[in-house]
Amino acid sequence: MSWQSYVDDHLMCDIEGTGHHLTSAAIIGQDGSVWAQSSTFPQFKTEEITAILKDFDEPGSLAPTGLHLAGTKYMVIAGEPGAVIRGKKGSGGVTVKKTGQALIFGVYDEPVTPGQCNMIVERLGDYLVEQGL
């Protein structure tokens, strides 16, 4: 399966038959290279990915400054140190799951809930971890 189909079929899918889906999603290598992304995924800066990776190694490092993606600042909320970072901005937010080689991004806005975004991103991330990716 191509990386693009993971984004299209697993991240940007219809959520629980509601007709809603994530605003955007991507799979980005830990070197900052884009493996696949939705057409709506924002143009991020390399230093934003570097800061996110640092927080996986040093949990809490993003909390004072926030998580930035394409210049948008998200307040860091409870995640799983070393595995998942969650950010919130207004009625939307972002979930980032780290795998052995990549970062899985899901960005959402109402009516999608934080829990739905977490479930979609983390389910794919856990699957890729199990596959050694």
Side-chain angles (χ1 to χ4, degrees):
M1 183 183 286
S2 77
W3 290 113
Q4 192 60 49
S5 21
Y6 280 111
V7 170
D8 297 341
D9 302 339
H10 297 281
L11 294 173
M12 296 300 290
C13 60
D14 182 329
I15 298 170
E16 299 166 350
T18 61
H20 303 129
H21 51 82
L22 298 178
T23 307
S24 63
I27 302 173
I28 297 174
Q30 291 187 19
D31 60 358
S33 64
V34 176
W35 291 11
Q37 64 183 16
S38 64
S39 60
T40 51
F41 196 74
Q43 185 60 52
F44 61 87
K45 299 177 184 78
T46 307
E47 57 268 22
E48 294 171 333
I49 302 302
T50 305
I52 291 166
L53 281 166
K54 180 181 178 197
D55 193 80
F56 281 115
D57 294 334
E58 301 170 28
S61 66
L62 281 179
T65 58
L67 182 156
H68 290 81
L69 188 62
T72 300
K73 180 180 177 180
Y74 295 89
M75 180 177 70
V76 177
I77 55 176
E80 296 169 30
V84 180
I85 299 171
R86 300 183 183 112
K88 184 96 174 106
K89 178 177 174 58
S91 61
V94 61
T95 303
V96 186
K97 167 77 177 177
K98 182 180 180 198
T99 72
Q101 301 173 25
L103 300 174
I104 316 293
F105 285 81
V107 180
Y108 67 93
D109 212 334
E110 285 184 331
V112 175
T113 67
Q116 289 171 321
C117 181
N118 296 343
M119 180 187 67
I120 288 170
V121 171
E122 293 173 38
R123 183 185 293 155
L124 178 59
D126 290 342
Y127 170 77
L128 293 176
V129 167
E130 287 169 13
Q131 302 305 308
L133 301 166

